[in-house]
Amino acid sequence: MSARPKILVTQKVPDPAYPLLEAIGDVEATMEEGVIWPYEELLRRGPGHDYIYSLLTDNIDAHFLETCAASTPALKMVANMAVGFNNIDVDAATRLGIAVSNTPGVLSDTTGDLAFALLMATARRIPEAERFLRAGKYTGWGPLLFCGAEVHHSTLGLIGAGRIGKIMSKRASGFEMNTLYFDVYRMSPADEAQYNMTYLPMDEVLQQADFISVHTPYMPSTHHLISEREFHLMKPTAILINTARGPIVDEKALVRALQAGKIAGAGLDVFENEPAIEPELLSMENVVLLPHIASASLKTRTLMATMASDNIVAHFHGQRPPNILNPEVLQ
Ligand code: GLV
């Protein structure tokens, strides 16, 4: 590798990430906030870098990786500033000997906070009530004004019980909720007791829960995990919360389920074709929509940003990147 590696940062990220990279290499980056390079632009800029510091908005597919691997210098590593890495073809990267890392752990609490806030906001109709007030429609307290769903002592159904699912259960305990979960990996009895979570097959979780919150990674086996059949199993009073990845939920089937009253509402932080959103959702009052902000506290985003830099720095120094996803490429 050249003495000073070439590093590409694909979006503006929190400031502390840059000096860590500049200490070891030459950094190319956009400093304009909110600029997301389309795929063609990424493909034009990517080749000729040793390291790519990527965001979940970047489609790091096999063609992109092959192009960057064939350039000079050849790409050594993609460090994603996100815990999810479905935007990267990790198998292709492994085949090409390119390391891939993510940023797990540091965002779990913050994401759990937002997932719970979304649950509360949807259940208690907070955005809808605020829109009503700001529109000058509040003429006085009313016994039926914005009656919503009860959160405390209700049943939470978690689909996915990894780091963020467990945090969600901890938040729910404060509201004395009963937490059911389904995951392909069943937790040990000790962990189930510690996190106050009861395992059930997925269909039973869907049938019994008042709130269903999705916390699985997105991969081929979780594509449209929640679709027509699953909505049919849910209670008509159920509320779906998704802070994981959009395509885990079949968004068109969700619209149909809401229109038919098969479920009562949804709180969504992620969408199937981000940033596009099924147009019908935008006009539904029983749906709360957020622009993928679950990990967006300044502290957490700063931790994620430095973690991605740390992975690149470790690789440059010949050390094992702490969050490498395909360690086999280091052999
Ligand atoms: C956010 O969605 C992440 O994967 O970090």
Side-chain angles (χ1 to χ4, degrees):
M1 195 185 310
S2 52
R4 282 185 69 75
K6 295 196 180 325
I7 306 169
L8 179 69
V9 183
T10 66
Q11 264 203 54
K12 179 161 170 46
V13 295
D15 287 339
Y18 297 105
L20 297 168
L21 301 174
E22 281 156 0
I24 61 157
D26 298 331
V27 178
E28 179 185 333
T30 170
M31 292 316 245
E32 210 183 318
E33 197 179 328
V35 172
I36 301 174
W37 293 330
Y39 182 72
E40 294 310 320
E41 176 86 0
L42 198 64
L43 201 55
R44 194 175 65 72
R45 290 182 182 257
H49 290 91
D50 298 274
Y51 294 106
I52 293 182
Y53 183 122
S54 62
L55 284 304
L56 60 85
T57 41
D58 299 321
N59 177 15
I60 310 285
D61 65 2
H63 175 62
F64 176 80
L65 291 165
E66 280 156 12
T67 308
C68 294
S71 70
T72 308
L75 181 62
K76 319 282 180 300
M77 179 176 188
V78 179
N80 212 34
M81 192 196 124
V83 63
F85 49 88
N86 54 291
N87 59 309
I88 303 174
D89 187 336
V90 181
D91 289 342
T94 306
R95 180 166 46 77
L96 294 161
I98 298 168
V100 180
S101 64
N102 68 341
T103 60
V106 289
L107 47 58
S108 304
D109 276 293
T110 309
T111 301
D113 286 351
L114 193 283
F116 208 83
L118 197 47
L119 185 156
M120 296 286 291
T122 314
R124 299 300 303 271
R125 306 170 62 186
I126 294 172
E128 185 190 355
E130 210 221 10
R131 283 194 294 272
F132 169 89
L133 183 146
R134 284 181 189 267
K137 295 181 184 164
Y138 180 42
T139 54
W141 184 88
L144 296 174
L145 194 61
F146 288 104
C147 291
E150 201 109 283
V151 174
H152 66 88
H153 296 97
S154 65
T155 296
L156 172 65
L158 298 173
I159 305 300
R163 284 177 293 254
I164 298 169
K166 290 189 183 89
I167 300 275
M168 192 63 178
S169 177
K170 284 210 239 171
R171 302 291 180 269
S173 294
F175 285 76
E176 296 173 79
M177 292 169 86
N178 170 34
T179 301
L180 311 174
Y181 83 97
F182 169 75
D183 195 295
V184 283
Y185 303 105
R186 184 161 179 185
M187 288 155 60
S188 68
D191 278 357
E192 287 182 353
Q194 182 192 339
Y195 291 102
N196 198 17
M197 290 161 77
T198 304
Y199 174 86
L200 280 179
M202 182 159 141
D203 285 2
E204 286 176 47
V205 172
L206 298 176
Q207 282 165 332
Q208 293 185 29
D210 298 306
F211 299 94
I212 291 137
S213 193
V214 178
H215 298 284
T216 62
Y218 178 57
M219 49 190 150
S221 61
T222 60
H223 180 77
H224 286 186
L225 186 66
I226 307 292
S227 189
E228 206 84 51
R229 194 189 78 87
E230 289 68 34
F231 288 120
H232 193 72
L233 291 171
M234 294 179 196
K235 294 181 183 179
T237 50
I239 288 175
L240 175 77
I241 305 298
N242 189 6
T243 53
R245 282 292 182 268
I248 300 170
V249 174
D250 178 343
E251 211 166 284
K252 287 196 191 308
L254 170 64
V255 168
R256 287 193 296 273
L258 288 163
Q259 283 169 338
K262 282 196 175 141
I263 66 167
L268 308 173
D269 184 45
V270 288
F271 302 92
E272 195 164 347
N273 298 302
E274 265 170 56
I277 297 173
E278 281 298 311
E280 289 93 338
L281 292 174
L282 295 170
S283 56
M284 289 180 177
E285 290 287 15
N286 53 342
V287 172
V288 179
L289 307 167
L290 296 177
H292 203 151
I293 56 167
S295 65
S297 74
L298 194 54
K299 183 173 174 195
T300 291
R301 287 283 166 87
T302 302
L303 288 170
M304 291 165 69
T306 51
M307 202 167 173
S309 289
D310 288 345
N311 278 286
I312 291 177
V313 173
H315 187 281
F316 173 71
H317 289 309
Q319 295 156 1
R320 182 190 166 105
N323 310 106
I324 189 159
L325 292 162
N326 54 351
E328 56 272 41
V329 300
L330 299 179
Q331 300 337 317

